[in-house]
Amino acid sequence: MQVEKYLNEIVEREGAVHLTLIDPASQSPEKAAAMALAAKEGGTDAIMIGGSTGASGLVLDQTILKIKEVTDLPTILFPGSAAGVSAYADAIFFMSLLNSRDLNYVTGNQALGALLVYKCGIEAISMAYIIIEPGGTVGWVGDARLIPKNKPEIAVAYSLAGKYLGMHYTYLETGSGADGPASPQMITAVKKVLGKNILIVGGGIRNAETARICVHSGADMIVTGTVVEESTDVTAKIRELVSAIKK
């Protein structure tokens, strides 16, 4: 499976992609698999697997394997470091945290993880990862110079840098548990300069209206994670979000 092609074709055909993010450190592999199956039944397009802390090693491998037992949706690694690489995933968002002060998150972990990605034949999807305030755990762990929500021009500059460096995807992230995603004005401004390049928006997307606003503002893909962990009916919640963003 060519995961990047699969995702891009959904954007072209249906207007937007929904990605469900599962953190292996937040629950057992069996519970993660149940969440992934429920998300699939709700209409999600792929499963992202990763987290800022503890999402590595045996728990990461077992989580992916359990998810693959119950669904054939693509599994995409969303690593917090080089330790977040697993041979069992279909693809990896091979990303650089462009607004980090720490070179380990810009190029260091990427160099450490690249050989394993190559040897395992994991499909690498290049991504410019940009953290917007408040940033949450990922902003703290990644030592990001958080971009103010009311400064879309800074996000535009970083997004253009990623595009010119050859990255296919750009991800505007406000952090897990944030009170909301990047502003509509920021999303629109970034999408304008990205053109056909893919724009992902995540962080603080908890309901259909917020998801709809993100897509109408220019997001090609949205990511939801915390809302899945907190929901008592994952299938219904994902269905609500998916219905809001598809053509």
mmCIF file of all heavy atoms in Angstrom, residues 54-106:
data_model
loop_
_atom_site.group_PDB
_atom_site.id
_atom_site.type_symbol
_atom_site.label_atom_id
_atom_site.label_comp_id
_atom_site.label_asym_id
_atom_site.label_seq_id
_atom_site.Cartn_x
_atom_site.Cartn_y
_atom_site.Cartn_z
ATOM 1 N N GLY A 54 6.928 7.816 26.236
ATOM 2 C CA GLY A 54 6.580 6.427 26.513
ATOM 3 C C GLY A 54 6.047 5.623 25.352
ATOM 4 O O GLY A 54 5.706 4.443 25.514
ATOM 5 N N ALA A 55 5.951 6.210 24.161
ATOM 6 C CA ALA A 55 5.374 5.511 23.008
ATOM 7 C C ALA A 55 6.469 4.857 22.179
ATOM 8 O O ALA A 55 6.748 5.253 21.040
ATOM 9 C CB ALA A 55 4.572 6.483 22.148
ATOM 10 N N SER A 56 7.107 3.851 22.765
ATOM 11 C CA SER A 56 8.233 3.225 22.075
ATOM 12 C C SER A 56 8.392 1.779 22.525
ATOM 13 O O SER A 56 7.693 1.311 23.435
ATOM 14 C CB SER A 56 9.528 4.004 22.354
ATOM 15 O OG SER A 56 9.798 4.022 23.750
ATOM 16 N N GLY A 57 9.309 1.077 21.886
ATOM 17 C CA GLY A 57 9.665 -0.268 22.310
ATOM 18 C C GLY A 57 8.538 -1.276 22.179
ATOM 19 O O GLY A 57 7.730 -1.226 21.252
ATOM 20 N N LEU A 58 8.477 -2.191 23.139
ATOM 21 C CA LEU A 58 7.535 -3.304 23.091
ATOM 22 C C LEU A 58 6.087 -2.847 23.054
ATOM 23 O O LEU A 58 5.270 -3.398 22.307
ATOM 24 C CB LEU A 58 7.767 -4.217 24.297
ATOM 25 C CG LEU A 58 6.983 -5.538 24.320
ATOM 26 C CD1 LEU A 58 7.348 -6.394 23.108
ATOM 27 C CD2 LEU A 58 7.266 -6.285 25.616
ATOM 28 N N VAL A 59 5.745 -1.824 23.850
ATOM 29 C CA VAL A 59 4.355 -1.369 23.884
ATOM 30 C C VAL A 59 3.939 -0.801 22.528
ATOM 31 O O VAL A 59 2.792 -0.980 22.094
ATOM 32 C CB VAL A 59 4.133 -0.341 25.019
ATOM 33 C CG1 VAL A 59 4.859 0.970 24.733
ATOM 34 C CG2 VAL A 59 2.653 -0.071 25.217
ATOM 35 N N LEU A 60 4.854 -0.147 21.835
ATOM 36 C CA LEU A 60 4.563 0.382 20.503
ATOM 37 C C LEU A 60 4.344 -0.763 19.515
ATOM 38 O O LEU A 60 3.346 -0.784 18.776
ATOM 39 C CB LEU A 60 5.704 1.280 20.030
ATOM 40 C CG LEU A 60 5.625 1.791 18.585
ATOM 41 C CD1 LEU A 60 4.378 2.632 18.369
ATOM 42 C CD2 LEU A 60 6.886 2.602 18.234
ATOM 43 N N ASP A 61 5.267 -1.727 19.505
ATOM 44 C CA ASP A 61 5.138 -2.875 18.592
ATOM 45 C C ASP A 61 3.847 -3.640 18.846
ATOM 46 O O ASP A 61 3.112 -3.983 17.903
ATOM 47 C CB ASP A 61 6.324 -3.818 18.756
ATOM 48 C CG ASP A 61 7.635 -3.243 18.238
ATOM 49 O OD1 ASP A 61 7.576 -2.277 17.457
ATOM 50 O OD2 ASP A 61 8.697 -3.762 18.616
ATOM 51 N N GLN A 62 3.555 -3.913 20.105
ATOM 52 C CA GLN A 62 2.365 -4.699 20.427
ATOM 53 C C GLN A 62 1.087 -3.953 20.073
ATOM 54 O O GLN A 62 0.107 -4.557 19.620
ATOM 55 C CB GLN A 62 2.380 -5.062 21.919
ATOM 56 C CG GLN A 62 3.435 -6.084 22.287
ATOM 57 C CD GLN A 62 3.422 -6.428 23.759
ATOM 58 O OE1 GLN A 62 2.899 -5.675 24.597
ATOM 59 N NE2 GLN A 62 3.996 -7.568 24.099
ATOM 60 N N THR A 63 1.100 -2.641 20.267
ATOM 61 C CA THR A 63 -0.075 -1.844 19.916
ATOM 62 C C THR A 63 -0.349 -1.910 18.419
ATOM 63 O O THR A 63 -1.496 -2.111 17.987
ATOM 64 C CB THR A 63 0.118 -0.383 20.362
ATOM 65 O OG1 THR A 63 0.214 -0.336 21.792
ATOM 66 C CG2 THR A 63 -1.042 0.491 19.910
ATOM 67 N N ILE A 64 0.683 -1.751 17.613
ATOM 68 C CA ILE A 64 0.499 -1.814 16.161
ATOM 69 C C ILE A 64 0.011 -3.195 15.736
ATOM 70 O O ILE A 64 -0.927 -3.328 14.928
ATOM 71 C CB ILE A 64 1.816 -1.465 15.434
ATOM 72 C CG1 ILE A 64 2.216 -0.016 15.715
ATOM 73 C CG2 ILE A 64 1.680 -1.682 13.927
ATOM 74 C CD1 ILE A 64 3.594 0.350 15.228
ATOM 75 N N LEU A 65 0.617 -4.242 16.279
ATOM 76 C CA LEU A 65 0.229 -5.607 15.902
ATOM 77 C C LEU A 65 -1.220 -5.901 16.290
ATOM 78 O O LEU A 65 -1.960 -6.534 15.513
ATOM 79 C CB LEU A 65 1.176 -6.612 16.549
ATOM 80 C CG LEU A 65 2.600 -6.632 15.981
ATOM 81 C CD1 LEU A 65 3.506 -7.510 16.831
ATOM 82 C CD2 LEU A 65 2.601 -7.103 14.528
ATOM 83 N N LYS A 66 -1.640 -5.456 17.458
ATOM 84 C CA LYS A 66 -3.022 -5.672 17.880
ATOM 85 C C LYS A 66 -3.995 -4.895 16.990
ATOM 86 O O LYS A 66 -5.068 -5.393 16.646
ATOM 87 C CB LYS A 66 -3.190 -5.253 19.346
ATOM 88 C CG LYS A 66 -2.591 -6.218 20.350
ATOM 89 C CD LYS A 66 -3.311 -7.579 20.309
ATOM 90 C CE LYS A 66 -2.760 -8.535 21.355
ATOM 91 N NZ LYS A 66 -3.420 -9.870 21.279
ATOM 92 N N ILE A 67 -3.623 -3.677 16.622
ATOM 93 C CA ILE A 67 -4.478 -2.882 15.728
ATOM 94 C C ILE A 67 -4.608 -3.568 14.376
ATOM 95 O O ILE A 67 -5.697 -3.649 13.795
ATOM 96 C CB ILE A 67 -3.916 -1.451 15.584
ATOM 97 C CG1 ILE A 67 -4.126 -0.670 16.884
ATOM 98 C CG2 ILE A 67 -4.567 -0.714 14.409
ATOM 99 C CD1 ILE A 67 -3.477 0.691 16.913
ATOM 100 N N LYS A 68 -3.516 -4.115 13.880
ATOM 101 C CA LYS A 68 -3.542 -4.781 12.581
ATOM 102 C C LYS A 68 -4.369 -6.071 12.601
ATOM 103 O O LYS A 68 -4.815 -6.530 11.558
ATOM 104 C CB LYS A 68 -2.115 -5.080 12.117
ATOM 105 C CG LYS A 68 -1.393 -3.861 11.546
ATOM 106 C CD LYS A 68 0.018 -4.219 11.123
ATOM 107 C CE LYS A 68 0.599 -3.114 10.249
ATOM 108 N NZ LYS A 68 0.005 -3.066 8.919
ATOM 109 N N GLU A 69 -4.574 -6.630 13.776
ATOM 110 C CA GLU A 69 -5.414 -7.823 13.882
ATOM 111 C C GLU A 69 -6.882 -7.517 13.641
ATOM 112 O O GLU A 69 -7.646 -8.396 13.230
ATOM 113 C CB GLU A 69 -5.249 -8.460 15.266
ATOM 114 C CG GLU A 69 -3.926 -9.177 15.491
ATOM 115 C CD GLU A 69 -3.827 -9.772 16.884
ATOM 116 O OE1 GLU A 69 -4.839 -9.713 17.631
ATOM 117 O OE2 GLU A 69 -2.749 -10.293 17.233
ATOM 118 N N VAL A 70 -7.284 -6.268 13.889
ATOM 119 C CA VAL A 70 -8.712 -5.943 13.841
ATOM 120 C C VAL A 70 -9.102 -4.997 12.711
ATOM 121 O O VAL A 70 -10.291 -4.807 12.443
ATOM 122 C CB VAL A 70 -9.186 -5.351 15.187
ATOM 123 C CG1 VAL A 70 -8.970 -6.352 16.307
ATOM 124 C CG2 VAL A 70 -8.494 -4.036 15.499
ATOM 125 N N THR A 71 -8.119 -4.377 12.052
ATOM 126 C CA THR A 71 -8.446 -3.455 10.965
ATOM 127 C C THR A 71 -7.350 -3.442 9.910
ATOM 128 O O THR A 71 -6.171 -3.632 10.227
ATOM 129 C CB THR A 71 -8.657 -2.015 11.487
ATOM 130 O OG1 THR A 71 -8.848 -1.127 10.375
ATOM 131 C CG2 THR A 71 -7.467 -1.546 12.286
ATOM 132 N N ASP A 72 -7.758 -3.214 8.671
ATOM 133 C CA ASP A 72 -6.794 -3.110 7.577
ATOM 134 C C ASP A 72 -6.507 -1.653 7.218
ATOM 135 O O ASP A 72 -5.871 -1.370 6.197
ATOM 136 C CB ASP A 72 -7.295 -3.858 6.343
ATOM 137 C CG ASP A 72 -8.643 -3.347 5.844
ATOM 138 O OD1 ASP A 72 -9.231 -2.457 6.500
ATOM 139 O OD2 ASP A 72 -9.130 -3.849 4.815
ATOM 140 N N LEU A 73 -6.950 -0.716 8.043
ATOM 141 C CA LEU A 73 -6.618 0.689 7.795
ATOM 142 C C LEU A 73 -5.111 0.887 7.893
ATOM 143 O O LEU A 73 -4.439 0.194 8.658
ATOM 144 C CB LEU A 73 -7.307 1.597 8.815
ATOM 145 C CG LEU A 73 -8.809 1.811 8.688
ATOM 146 C CD1 LEU A 73 -9.303 2.684 9.827
ATOM 147 C CD2 LEU A 73 -9.179 2.432 7.350
ATOM 148 N N PRO A 74 -4.561 1.828 7.136
ATOM 149 C CA PRO A 74 -3.123 2.099 7.240
ATOM 150 C C PRO A 74 -2.726 2.519 8.653
ATOM 151 O O PRO A 74 -3.454 3.274 9.307
ATOM 152 C CB PRO A 74 -2.897 3.254 6.253
ATOM 153 C CG PRO A 74 -4.062 3.205 5.324
ATOM 154 C CD PRO A 74 -5.207 2.685 6.119
ATOM 155 N N THR A 75 -1.597 2.013 9.114
ATOM 156 C CA THR A 75 -1.038 2.443 10.402
ATOM 157 C C THR A 75 0.152 3.350 10.107
ATOM 158 O O THR A 75 1.073 2.974 9.388
ATOM 159 C CB THR A 75 -0.581 1.241 11.239
ATOM 160 O OG1 THR A 75 0.267 0.393 10.456
ATOM 161 C CG2 THR A 75 -1.787 0.440 11.717
ATOM 162 N N ILE A 76 0.112 4.552 10.672
ATOM 163 C CA ILE A 76 1.122 5.566 10.394
ATOM 164 C C ILE A 76 1.799 5.975 11.688
ATOM 165 O O ILE A 76 1.147 6.450 12.619
ATOM 166 C CB ILE A 76 0.492 6.808 9.726
ATOM 167 C CG1 ILE A 76 -0.334 6.411 8.500
ATOM 168 C CG2 ILE A 76 1.579 7.805 9.332
ATOM 169 C CD1 ILE A 76 -1.157 7.550 7.926
ATOM 170 N N LEU A 77 3.105 5.797 11.766
ATOM 171 C CA LEU A 77 3.854 6.200 12.947
ATOM 172 C C LEU A 77 3.883 7.722 13.070
ATOM 173 O O LEU A 77 4.068 8.438 12.078
ATOM 174 C CB LEU A 77 5.282 5.669 12.886
ATOM 175 C CG LEU A 77 5.440 4.148 12.980
ATOM 176 C CD1 LEU A 77 6.876 3.757 12.624
ATOM 177 C CD2 LEU A 77 5.075 3.644 14.367
ATOM 178 N N PHE A 78 3.731 8.189 14.298
ATOM 179 C CA PHE A 78 3.799 9.615 14.621
ATOM 180 C C PHE A 78 4.788 9.751 15.776
ATOM 181 O O PHE A 78 4.413 9.934 16.928
ATOM 182 C CB PHE A 78 2.410 10.114 14.998
ATOM 183 C CG PHE A 78 2.308 11.589 15.232
ATOM 184 C CD1 PHE A 78 2.669 12.491 14.246
ATOM 185 C CD2 PHE A 78 1.824 12.070 16.436
ATOM 186 C CE1 PHE A 78 2.559 13.863 14.467
ATOM 187 C CE2 PHE A 78 1.708 13.435 16.668
ATOM 188 C CZ PHE A 78 2.075 14.331 15.681
ATOM 189 N N PRO A 79 6.090 9.603 15.477
ATOM 190 C CA PRO A 79 7.089 9.410 16.538
ATOM 191 C C PRO A 79 7.475 10.692 17.265
ATOM 192 O O PRO A 79 7.600 11.753 16.674
ATOM 193 C CB PRO A 79 8.296 8.858 15.770
ATOM 194 C CG PRO A 79 8.169 9.466 14.406
ATOM 195 C CD PRO A 79 6.686 9.553 14.136
ATOM 196 N N GLY A 80 7.687 10.530 18.590
ATOM 197 C CA GLY A 80 8.194 11.652 19.379
ATOM 198 C C GLY A 80 9.700 11.731 19.350
ATOM 199 O O GLY A 80 10.286 12.738 19.727
ATOM 200 N N SER A 81 10.334 10.640 18.904
ATOM 201 C CA SER A 81 11.793 10.578 18.803
ATOM 202 C C SER A 81 12.148 9.381 17.937
ATOM 203 O O SER A 81 11.264 8.675 17.441
ATOM 204 C CB SER A 81 12.429 10.423 20.195
ATOM 205 O OG SER A 81 12.130 9.140 20.733
ATOM 206 N N ALA A 82 13.444 9.116 17.787
ATOM 207 C CA ALA A 82 13.881 7.961 17.010
ATOM 208 C C ALA A 82 13.375 6.653 17.612
ATOM 209 O O ALA A 82 13.210 5.655 16.904
ATOM 210 C CB ALA A 82 15.403 7.939 16.910
ATOM 211 N N ALA A 83 13.108 6.657 18.913
ATOM 212 C CA ALA A 83 12.603 5.453 19.585
ATOM 213 C C ALA A 83 11.169 5.127 19.181
ATOM 214 O O ALA A 83 10.682 4.024 19.462
ATOM 215 C CB ALA A 83 12.686 5.622 21.097
ATOM 216 N N GLY A 84 10.499 6.050 18.507
ATOM 217 C CA GLY A 84 9.118 5.837 18.097
ATOM 218 C C GLY A 84 8.972 5.170 16.750
ATOM 219 O O GLY A 84 7.905 5.235 16.136
ATOM 220 N N VAL A 85 10.030 4.514 16.272
ATOM 221 C CA VAL A 85 9.980 3.802 14.995
ATOM 222 C C VAL A 85 9.710 2.325 15.258
ATOM 223 O O VAL A 85 10.321 1.720 16.141
ATOM 224 C CB VAL A 85 11.299 3.958 14.205
ATOM 225 C CG1 VAL A 85 11.230 3.181 12.890
ATOM 226 C CG2 VAL A 85 11.587 5.428 13.932
ATOM 227 N N SER A 86 8.803 1.743 14.499
ATOM 228 C CA SER A 86 8.494 0.320 14.606
ATOM 229 C C SER A 86 8.454 -0.302 13.223
ATOM 230 O O SER A 86 7.881 0.280 12.287
ATOM 231 C CB SER A 86 7.146 0.103 15.297
ATOM 232 O OG SER A 86 6.739 -1.259 15.194
ATOM 233 N N ALA A 87 9.014 -1.479 13.102
ATOM 234 C CA ALA A 87 9.047 -2.178 11.815
ATOM 235 C C ALA A 87 7.674 -2.635 11.361
ATOM 236 O O ALA A 87 7.493 -2.993 10.195
ATOM 237 C CB ALA A 87 9.981 -3.393 11.918
ATOM 238 N N TYR A 88 6.686 -2.620 12.258
ATOM 239 C CA TYR A 88 5.376 -3.204 11.944
ATOM 240 C C TYR A 88 4.400 -2.214 11.318
ATOM 241 O O TYR A 88 3.326 -2.604 10.866
ATOM 242 C CB TYR A 88 4.774 -3.807 13.208
ATOM 243 C CG TYR A 88 5.635 -4.887 13.801
ATOM 244 C CD1 TYR A 88 6.336 -4.675 14.987
ATOM 245 C CD2 TYR A 88 5.783 -6.122 13.168
ATOM 246 C CE1 TYR A 88 7.144 -5.659 15.528
ATOM 247 C CE2 TYR A 88 6.592 -7.113 13.700
ATOM 248 C CZ TYR A 88 7.273 -6.876 14.881
ATOM 249 O OH TYR A 88 8.080 -7.851 15.403
ATOM 250 N N ALA A 89 4.750 -0.931 11.283
ATOM 251 C CA ALA A 89 3.847 0.083 10.733
ATOM 252 C C ALA A 89 3.930 0.130 9.213
ATOM 253 O O ALA A 89 4.925 -0.275 8.608
ATOM 254 C CB ALA A 89 4.180 1.452 11.311
ATOM 255 N N ASP A 90 2.864 0.633 8.603
ATOM 256 C CA ASP A 90 2.830 0.768 7.140
ATOM 257 C C ASP A 90 3.612 1.987 6.674
ATOM 258 O O ASP A 90 4.210 1.979 5.596
ATOM 259 C CB ASP A 90 1.380 0.890 6.652
ATOM 260 C CG ASP A 90 0.558 -0.337 6.979
ATOM 261 O OD1 ASP A 90 1.007 -1.457 6.648
ATOM 262 O OD2 ASP A 90 -0.519 -0.181 7.588
ATOM 263 N N ALA A 91 3.565 3.055 7.459
ATOM 264 C CA ALA A 91 4.196 4.312 7.044
ATOM 265 C C ALA A 91 4.604 5.099 8.284
ATOM 266 O O ALA A 91 4.252 4.750 9.413
ATOM 267 C CB ALA A 91 3.236 5.138 6.187
ATOM 268 N N ILE A 92 5.361 6.145 8.052
ATOM 269 C CA ILE A 92 5.774 7.035 9.130
ATOM 270 C C ILE A 92 5.695 8.474 8.639
ATOM 271 O O ILE A 92 6.073 8.782 7.508
ATOM 272 C CB ILE A 92 7.213 6.712 9.599
ATOM 273 C CG1 ILE A 92 7.641 7.630 10.747
ATOM 274 C CG2 ILE A 92 8.216 6.803 8.455
ATOM 275 C CD1 ILE A 92 8.960 7.214 11.403
ATOM 276 N N PHE A 93 5.122 9.334 9.490
ATOM 277 C CA PHE A 93 5.230 10.756 9.218
ATOM 278 C C PHE A 93 6.654 11.144 9.601
ATOM 279 O O PHE A 93 6.972 11.312 10.782
ATOM 280 C CB PHE A 93 4.199 11.554 10.014
ATOM 281 C CG PHE A 93 2.818 11.508 9.435
ATOM 282 C CD1 PHE A 93 1.699 11.420 10.254
ATOM 283 C CD2 PHE A 93 2.623 11.565 8.073
ATOM 284 C CE1 PHE A 93 0.420 11.390 9.722
ATOM 285 C CE2 PHE A 93 1.347 11.532 7.512
ATOM 286 C CZ PHE A 93 0.245 11.439 8.347
ATOM 287 N N PHE A 94 7.518 11.239 8.584
ATOM 288 C CA PHE A 94 8.930 11.545 8.818
ATOM 289 C C PHE A 94 9.049 13.058 8.899
ATOM 290 O O PHE A 94 9.170 13.748 7.897
ATOM 291 C CB PHE A 94 9.795 10.977 7.687
ATOM 292 C CG PHE A 94 11.228 10.805 8.096
ATOM 293 C CD1 PHE A 94 11.652 9.642 8.718
ATOM 294 C CD2 PHE A 94 12.146 11.814 7.885
ATOM 295 C CE1 PHE A 94 12.973 9.480 9.113
ATOM 296 C CE2 PHE A 94 13.467 11.668 8.282
ATOM 297 C CZ PHE A 94 13.880 10.494 8.895
ATOM 298 N N MET A 95 9.005 13.548 10.128
ATOM 299 C CA MET A 95 8.789 14.977 10.324
ATOM 300 C C MET A 95 9.954 15.655 11.021
ATOM 301 O O MET A 95 10.723 15.036 11.760
ATOM 302 C CB MET A 95 7.516 15.193 11.130
ATOM 303 C CG MET A 95 7.486 14.473 12.465
ATOM 304 S SD MET A 95 5.826 14.386 13.124
ATOM 305 C CE MET A 95 6.153 13.674 14.730
ATOM 306 N N SER A 96 10.048 16.948 10.768
ATOM 307 C CA SER A 96 11.010 17.807 11.445
ATOM 308 C C SER A 96 10.221 18.896 12.174
ATOM 309 O O SER A 96 9.369 19.558 11.573
ATOM 310 C CB SER A 96 11.961 18.448 10.429
ATOM 311 O OG SER A 96 12.809 19.386 11.053
ATOM 312 N N LEU A 97 10.491 19.032 13.475
ATOM 313 C CA LEU A 97 9.831 20.071 14.263
ATOM 314 C C LEU A 97 10.571 21.376 13.982
ATOM 315 O O LEU A 97 11.551 21.720 14.643
ATOM 316 C CB LEU A 97 9.868 19.711 15.747
ATOM 317 C CG LEU A 97 8.771 20.294 16.634
ATOM 318 C CD1 LEU A 97 8.875 19.752 18.060
ATOM 319 C CD2 LEU A 97 8.733 21.802 16.635
ATOM 320 N N LEU A 98 10.092 22.095 12.992
ATOM 321 C CA LEU A 98 10.844 23.229 12.452
ATOM 322 C C LEU A 98 11.058 24.357 13.450
ATOM 323 O O LEU A 98 12.072 25.060 13.371
ATOM 324 C CB LEU A 98 10.146 23.766 11.201
ATOM 325 C CG LEU A 98 10.118 22.845 9.981
ATOM 326 C CD1 LEU A 98 9.525 23.586 8.788
ATOM 327 C CD2 LEU A 98 11.506 22.317 9.641
ATOM 328 N N ASN A 99 10.121 24.562 14.373
ATOM 329 C CA ASN A 99 10.299 25.675 15.308
ATOM 330 C C ASN A 99 10.793 25.215 16.679
ATOM 331 O O ASN A 99 10.534 25.849 17.696
ATOM 332 C CB ASN A 99 9.028 26.525 15.442
ATOM 333 C CG ASN A 99 7.814 25.735 15.916
ATOM 334 O OD1 ASN A 99 7.607 24.587 15.529
ATOM 335 N ND2 ASN A 99 6.980 26.358 16.734
ATOM 336 N N SER A 100 11.564 24.114 16.699
ATOM 337 C CA SER A 100 12.209 23.677 17.939
ATOM 338 C C SER A 100 13.551 24.398 18.124
ATOM 339 O O SER A 100 14.257 24.683 17.161
ATOM 340 C CB SER A 100 12.452 22.162 17.914
ATOM 341 O OG SER A 100 13.166 21.749 19.056
ATOM 342 N N ARG A 101 13.883 24.654 19.380
ATOM 343 C CA ARG A 101 15.204 25.205 19.707
ATOM 344 C C ARG A 101 16.266 24.105 19.758
ATOM 345 O O ARG A 101 17.455 24.381 19.759
ATOM 346 C CB ARG A 101 15.162 25.902 21.074
ATOM 347 C CG ARG A 101 14.198 27.065 21.188
ATOM 348 C CD ARG A 101 14.251 27.628 22.611
ATOM 349 N NE ARG A 101 13.317 28.714 22.821
ATOM 350 C CZ ARG A 101 12.053 28.553 23.223
ATOM 351 N NH1 ARG A 101 11.587 27.335 23.429
ATOM 352 N NH2 ARG A 101 11.267 29.591 23.407
ATOM 353 N N ASP A 102 15.803 22.869 19.821
ATOM 354 C CA ASP A 102 16.684 21.715 20.004
ATOM 355 C C ASP A 102 16.892 21.002 18.673
ATOM 356 O O ASP A 102 15.949 20.449 18.103
ATOM 357 C CB ASP A 102 16.054 20.755 21.023
ATOM 358 C CG ASP A 102 16.956 19.601 21.406
ATOM 359 O OD1 ASP A 102 17.931 19.328 20.683
ATOM 360 O OD2 ASP A 102 16.663 18.956 22.435
ATOM 361 N N LEU A 103 18.124 20.999 18.173
ATOM 362 C CA LEU A 103 18.400 20.377 16.872
ATOM 363 C C LEU A 103 18.072 18.886 16.840
ATOM 364 O O LEU A 103 17.887 18.321 15.766
ATOM 365 C CB LEU A 103 19.863 20.593 16.485
ATOM 366 C CG LEU A 103 20.210 21.966 15.907
ATOM 367 C CD1 LEU A 103 21.702 22.046 15.613
ATOM 368 C CD2 LEU A 103 19.401 22.238 14.645
ATOM 369 N N ASN A 104 17.987 18.264 18.005
ATOM 370 C CA ASN A 104 17.614 16.855 18.041
ATOM 371 C C ASN A 104 16.228 16.629 17.448
ATOM 372 O O ASN A 104 15.945 15.559 16.894
ATOM 373 C CB ASN A 104 17.640 16.318 19.478
ATOM 374 C CG ASN A 104 19.052 16.082 19.972
ATOM 375 O OD1 ASN A 104 19.851 15.451 19.293
ATOM 376 N ND2 ASN A 104 19.371 16.604 21.148
ATOM 377 N N TYR A 105 15.354 17.626 17.563
ATOM 378 C CA TYR A 105 13.999 17.495 17.034
ATOM 379 C C TYR A 105 13.860 18.064 15.627
ATOM 380 O O TYR A 105 12.824 17.922 15.003
ATOM 381 C CB TYR A 105 12.996 18.152 17.988
ATOM 382 C CG TYR A 105 12.878 17.379 19.280
ATOM 383 C CD1 TYR A 105 13.609 17.764 20.405
ATOM 384 C CD2 TYR A 105 12.088 16.237 19.363
ATOM 385 C CE1 TYR A 105 13.538 17.035 21.588
ATOM 386 C CE2 TYR A 105 12.012 15.504 20.530
ATOM 387 C CZ TYR A 105 12.742 15.905 21.640
ATOM 388 O OH TYR A 105 12.673 15.169 22.799
ATOM 389 N N VAL A 106 14.917 18.700 15.155
ATOM 390 C CA VAL A 106 14.912 19.228 13.783
ATOM 391 C C VAL A 106 15.552 18.222 12.829
ATOM 392 O O VAL A 106 14.982 17.895 11.772
ATOM 393 C CB VAL A 106 15.657 20.582 13.716
ATOM 394 C CG1 VAL A 106 15.616 21.136 12.287
ATOM 395 C CG2 VAL A 106 15.043 21.579 14.685
#
